[in-house]
Amino acid sequence: MNTNDVDYEQDRGLARDFLVNFADIHGEAKYMNILQDVANRKSRAIQIDLEDLFNYKDSDDEFVRKVTENTKRYIGIFAEAIDELMPEPTEPFVDDDHDILMTQRAEEGTENADGSDLFQKMPAEIKREVYIHASSKDRPFTIREVKASYIGQLVRISGIVTRCSDVKPLMQVAVYTCEDCGFEIYQEVTARIFMPLFECPSNRCKTNNTKGNLILQLRASKFLKFQEAKIQELAEHVPKGHIPRSMTVHLRGELTRKVAPGDVVELSGIFLPIPYTGFRAMRAGLVADTYLEAMSVTHFKRKYEEYELGNDEEENIARLSEDGDIYNKLSRSLAPEIYGHEDVKKALLLLLVGAPHRKLKDGMQIRGDVHICLMGDPGVAKSQLLKHIINVAPRGVYTTGRGSSGVGLTAAVQKDPVTNEMVLEGGALVLADMGICAIDEFDKMEESDRTAIHEVMEQQTVSIAKAGITTSLNARTAVLAAANPAWGRYDLRRTPAENINLPPALLSRFDLLWLILDKADMDTDLELARHVVYVHQNKESPALGFTPLEPSVLRAYIASARKVSPSVPGELEEYIASAYSSIRQEEARSDTPHSYTTIRTLLSILRLSAALARLRFSSIVEQSDVDEALRLMQMSKFSLYSDDRQKSGLDAISDIYSILRDEAARTNRLDISYAHALNWISRKGYSEAQLKECLEEYAALNVWQIHPNTFDIRFIDA
């Protein structure tokens, strides 16, 4: 017996001991339980975790190193150990064609058990799949760090999936029957191509000296699900001035259909070479291509539907939901580094939560996604808010107006490089299905490209009739757009309609159009500047009065909230209807309406109210939810109204009085020094003469007393 055989037997013995004796935290035999599930046909895949092998008391570092560096071989060793240890099924299962075939094969196997015919032994691959999962302790490699020295080794790579092929069957075991001797012959297929057998290799045919004709039995052969994907480096891993690299990934069996284009994933697998076949081999010569044989797939962000909360997470969410101030806490945890914009953040939180989709009896659908447009002056942190929302959302796509065409947003017809057929490639809105699509620089888009968004925003589909392909794709997307006003900055001398410069058909589809104006105000400017300087010094957000929630906690909370489906009770119908009609009346009376109110506005009120009810985990919408939804609609134009109020409403004297009264109330003092008063009102743009006039007028009304020499103020009535 040579040393190789000794090593092989040792390794197989170690693998067998590990599978039998390894116990998890609860003291149960982890892998024997998995094998029992495979025997009972509950699952097919057996995942062997390298971390478990590392922690196993009897395994040495040398064995773990061998498994990591020569994974393909050790999968075979573990597979043989698994076949030896495979227990008998303990639960009955329904017989299908596959079982009848298997029983028949097992009986035949005992009949011809002379052991001489290798081709007549049924390969164990027909029953199970074995994967080795890399340890998640170290940082995953980027694609450009995986060099030739890693060939044959187990590596962990992170990246973004750019394209996926369809799932196709891949032959793993070819089964033939011989016309002469009737034996069943098995041929294992290990490469992408194989040479079929033509002559029967069984002993009986050899003894009789007949060349039995073999017929390939497709029904009895074993096929694996096979999918090819392309993974590309993440933008943050690409060095300066380089373009991102990509790598081909082969997914087999239970790992197929786990990834979709646009997912950020971490893959562990074996890095292997693959020689070119056919005509390409003649051109390529000795050059081989490389690919990753995937062993496990981990998503960085799970979809809302896939969230399975642990006990501690559930307790955390239950504790948060009982907090009376949770609505404010959640909204302030969105982009805590950005100062102010309290109500904008509340609206964005409702965009993340959304309302339930309604499907009526006649098949008509009413969307539940909330669309928001942020229209504002340059430098009010619109793009930063968009980027942060995309980070928090489990599925989000960020595009800019100039950088995306109508086809890039909806869908393009392209030639598939593998099959040379015309295939549809989904654009940004299709990739963001069941997620959020953020479009920056919305006003800079071409008019023809912007019309592509109309259908998506209301019907939630993308219809296409191109190159002989007529179809409709789902795009159940919440659109979050950011735009500048028509002249770059909001011009107060012009009407809102001239400033906004978007067609009414598009505006009415947005649930909230948020106008953010950048006005000079000494107090807010000081606060903002202090905040920015603080963030620059400390690289963290200043105290909010509580620790902001992590994006992962936000995602888990929103995932639980999205399971609730609130309804509007009968007693609120009249209240909502009258609120809507009063908004319409107000708009009809106004000379320059700020918004464009249609029946879609009513649907928006219902959607926002339902999203607010979801945040409370309530199945019924309450009046407070409707009031908050109406308040957000009112506040979205607040920066305009505040300007109107200054133009029309309060005169200078009354305004100065209200400033002094508010400051006295804030500091809880009845005495105000003249110097302080002058400082406060000069910030708001008033003069000393106006202050003196105000002091005399209100002193005559006995509201306050004035000191004759220093002009200090004392309020008479608190």
Side-chain angles (χ1 to χ4, degrees):
M1 209 185 232
N2 61 16
T3 49
N4 277 357
D5 291 347
V6 174
D7 283 356
Y8 179 74
E9 285 305 322
Q10 273 184 348
D11 288 344
R12 202 162 87 172
L14 250 173
R16 202 169 42 237
D17 294 347
F18 165 71
L19 291 168
V20 174
N21 299 326
F22 181 78
D24 58 11
I25 313 161
H26 310 296
E28 292 180 11
K30 176 178 173 180
Y31 289 103
M32 291 313 286
N33 290 349
I34 294 175
L35 291 189
Q36 191 62 64
D37 281 351
V38 173
N40 291 344
R41 298 270 301 280
K42 284 184 182 170
S43 69
R44 296 186 61 89
I46 301 152
Q47 282 258 13
I48 293 163
D49 216 325
L50 261 191
E51 211 126 297
D52 294 345
L53 202 56
F54 203 77
N55 298 334
Y56 181 53
K57 57 181 190 307
D58 294 341
S59 79
D60 50 356
D61 293 350
E62 180 65 18
F63 183 61
V64 178
R65 188 186 59 76
K66 279 193 211 161
V67 174
T68 316
E69 290 184 0
N70 194 358
T71 317
K72 197 83 174 166
R73 178 189 165 176
Y74 278 86
I75 283 181
I77 290 176
F78 272 106
E80 284 183 19
I82 283 166
D83 295 336
E84 283 177 35
L85 297 168
M86 187 66 77
E88 288 299 311
T90 53
E91 293 174 15
F93 39 77
V94 185
D95 273 7
D96 54 10
D97 301 357
H98 174 264
D99 290 307
I100 295 162
L101 244 170
M102 297 303 273
T103 353
Q104 193 181 333
R105 284 170 174 175
E107 285 163 8
E108 278 179 15
T110 47
E111 279 172 33
N112 338 316
D114 52 356
S116 54
D117 273 1
L118 286 173
F119 285 103
Q120 277 173 246
K121 282 189 187 157
M122 184 170 68
E125 274 82 7
I126 289 184
K127 295 182 190 168
R128 47 101 189 112
E129 297 162 20
V130 183
Y131 301 108
I132 292 184
H133 186 241
S135 138
S136 51
K137 277 182 180 168
D138 315 317
R139 155 185 98 72
F141 289 118
T142 63
I143 291 176
R144 62 181 69 227
E145 285 171 350
V146 181
K147 302 278 196 316
S149 56
Y150 287 104
I151 280 187
Q153 296 190 18
L154 193 63
V155 290
R156 226 166 93 247
I157 296 178
S158 64
I160 184 166
V161 180
T162 51
R163 70 178 303 143
C164 279
S165 70
D166 293 340
V167 177
K168 301 252 171 68
L170 176 81
M171 189 174 271
Q172 194 184 19
V173 178
V175 178
Y176 306 88
T177 44
C178 173
E179 282 186 333
D180 291 356
C181 62
F183 276 9
E184 213 170 36
I185 309 292
Y186 302 98
Q187 179 190 12
E188 281 191 56
V189 181
T190 49
R192 288 291 287 275
I193 50 170
F194 76 107
M195 193 66 190
L197 300 172
F198 295 110
E199 291 180 8
C200 176
S202 75
N203 283 353
R204 188 178 295 181
C205 280
K206 280 179 188 164
T207 320
N208 296 347
N209 206 8
T210 53
K211 293 181 176 177
N213 189 22
L214 292 180
I215 297 164
L216 180 64
Q217 299 287 343
L218 286 178
R219 186 80 192 276
S221 298
K222 165 78 163 86
F223 289 91
L224 257 185
K225 291 180 282 188
F226 175 79
Q227 187 178 24
E228 200 174 283
K230 266 260 191 303
I231 183 172
Q232 185 182 307
E233 273 181 307
L234 293 170
E236 57 261 30
H237 297 153
V238 183
K240 293 189 208 103
H242 289 246
I243 57 168
R245 289 194 188 170
S246 58
M247 181 188 278
T248 309
V249 181
H250 290 179
L251 302 148
R252 295 173 191 226
E254 303 291 303
L255 292 176
T256 50
R257 297 196 175 93
K258 284 271 181 81
V259 295
D263 290 352
V264 180
V265 291
E266 193 179 280
L267 299 166
S268 72
I270 314 170
F271 186 54
L272 292 170
I274 184 168
Y276 288 109
T277 52
F279 285 114
R280 292 175 70 190
M282 291 157 71
R283 279 218 306 273
L286 301 175
V287 180
D289 205 359
T290 53
Y291 72 102
L292 188 80
E293 178 79 64
M295 291 280 135
S296 73
V297 177
T298 324
H299 284 261
F300 274 99
K301 292 183 193 168
R302 286 169 297 177
K303 293 179 190 161
Y304 286 134
E305 303 84 62
E306 290 169 7
Y307 258 94
E308 289 169 7
L309 301 173
N311 289 338
D312 46 346
E313 279 185 304
E314 276 180 7
E315 283 169 21
N316 193 9
I317 285 169
R319 197 169 62 249
L320 282 171
S321 62
E322 285 161 15
D323 185 345
D325 199 27
I326 185 63
Y327 174 47
N328 288 323
K329 276 190 181 170
L330 287 171
S331 64
R332 290 171 71 186
S333 301
L334 288 175
E337 285 82 16
I338 295 174
Y339 173 78
H341 294 324
E342 305 264 321
D343 288 323
V344 180
K345 288 180 185 177
K346 283 179 181 170
L348 293 177
L349 175 66
L350 298 186
L351 172 107
L352 284 168
V353 175
H357 288 269
R358 297 250 179 268
K359 191 166 185 179
L360 308 182
K361 283 192 181 122
D362 58 353
M364 182 179 155
Q365 292 191 349
I366 298 174
R367 70 175 162 96
D369 292 315
V370 178
H371 301 314
I372 293 179
C373 179
L374 304 177
M375 165 91 58
D377 292 338
V380 289
K382 298 188 298 294
S383 302
Q384 290 290 356
L385 280 169
L386 258 66
K387 281 262 160 92
H388 190 84
I389 292 297
I390 292 299
N391 279 346
V392 171
R395 194 176 180 89
V397 175
Y398 179 88
T399 65
T400 57
R402 285 312 292 176
S404 47
S405 61
V407 173
L409 284 171
T410 52
V413 177
Q414 287 186 340
K415 224 175 192 173
D416 186 23
V418 184
T419 56
N420 279 335
E421 290 173 4
M422 286 303 220
V423 291
L424 269 184
E425 190 112 322
L429 291 164
V430 180
L431 284 182
D433 185 29
M434 302 302 276
I436 291 171
C437 182
I439 307 172
D440 208 352
E441 311 291 352
F442 195 55
D443 53 315
K444 319 271 188 316
M445 278 176 82
E446 300 283 329
E447 193 55 50
S448 56
D449 297 339
R450 216 184 286 146
T451 49
I453 302 174
H454 286 231
E455 183 197 358
V456 172
M457 286 178 73
E458 210 53 60
Q459 273 70 43
Q460 306 245 293
T461 54
V462 172
S463 302
I464 277 169
K466 296 177 184 172
I469 298 173
T470 310
T471 179
S472 182
L473 304 171
N474 278 329
R476 290 152 297 185
T477 310
V479 175
L480 172 59
N484 291 110
W487 288 275
R489 277 198 72 150
Y490 197 93
D491 189 349
L492 289 165
R493 289 163 302 188
R494 299 177 193 263
T495 61
E498 287 175 314
N499 273 298
I500 290 168
N501 192 30
L502 291 174
L506 192 59
L507 282 183
S508 67
R509 284 173 160 81
F510 281 111
D511 297 74
L512 286 171
L513 172 72
W514 213 281
L515 284 169
I516 311 170
L517 269 60
D518 183 18
K519 293 216 190 78
D521 181 301
M522 184 129 176
D523 292 347
T524 46
D525 291 348
L526 267 172
E527 284 292 317
L528 174 62
R530 285 187 191 124
H531 175 96
V532 172
V533 173
Y534 181 91
V535 171
H536 266 262
Q537 283 174 330
N538 302 313
K539 292 196 176 69
E540 59 176 59
S541 51
L544 294 170
F546 67 98
T547 45
L549 305 171
E550 291 289 316
S552 54
V553 179
L554 271 171
R555 271 200 290 276
Y557 189 92
I558 291 167
S560 330
R562 283 175 76 105
K563 289 175 186 160
V564 184
S565 183
S567 57
V568 179
E571 57 266 20
L572 275 183
E573 280 175 17
E574 193 55 42
Y575 182 74
I576 295 172
S578 59
Y580 166 69
S581 61
S582 65
I583 294 175
R584 288 273 288 192
Q585 288 304 313
E586 207 174 293
E587 187 182 287
R589 284 197 296 273
S590 156
D591 305 332
T592 55
H594 292 122
S595 58
Y596 184 66
T597 309
T598 61
I599 195 68
R600 283 182 178 150
T601 314
L602 177 58
L603 290 173
S604 302
I605 296 171
L606 292 171
R607 269 192 286 272
L608 294 171
S609 312
L612 284 155
R614 270 182 163 184
L615 278 176
R616 293 183 292 107
F617 291 103
S618 160
S619 56
I620 290 175
V621 175
E622 290 177 6
Q623 188 172 335
S624 59
D625 299 329
V626 181
D627 289 341
E628 173 63 15
L630 290 166
R631 187 191 73 81
L632 282 174
M633 290 195 144
Q634 190 73 19
M635 290 304 289
S636 63
K637 312 284 186 307
F638 179 70
S639 46
L640 278 184
Y641 294 137
S642 60
D643 197 74
D644 290 352
R645 201 182 66 232
Q646 276 183 354
K647 281 186 195 164
S648 56
L650 301 169
D651 61 313
I653 308 297
S654 316
D655 206 16
I656 289 173
Y657 167 68
S658 61
I659 291 168
L660 297 180
R661 186 196 58 214
D662 291 349
E663 286 292 339
R666 196 171 62 82
T667 52
N668 218 349
R669 296 209 312 262
L670 291 178
D671 295 310
I672 300 173
S673 74
Y674 182 72
H676 279 147
L678 189 58
N679 184 15
W680 290 332
I681 65 120
S682 59
R683 283 183 185 182
K684 302 286 183 192
Y686 295 112
S687 64
E688 190 172 2
Q690 286 171 316
L691 173 64
K692 284 192 171 163
E693 192 181 336
C694 173
L695 294 182
E696 286 166 13
E697 194 168 312
Y698 279 90
L701 294 171
N702 268 346
V703 174
W704 52 44
Q705 293 172 336
I706 311 291
H707 193 282
N709 303 330
T710 59
F711 296 117
D712 288 348
I713 306 159
R714 160 169 277 193
F715 280 90
I716 292 171
D717 182 15

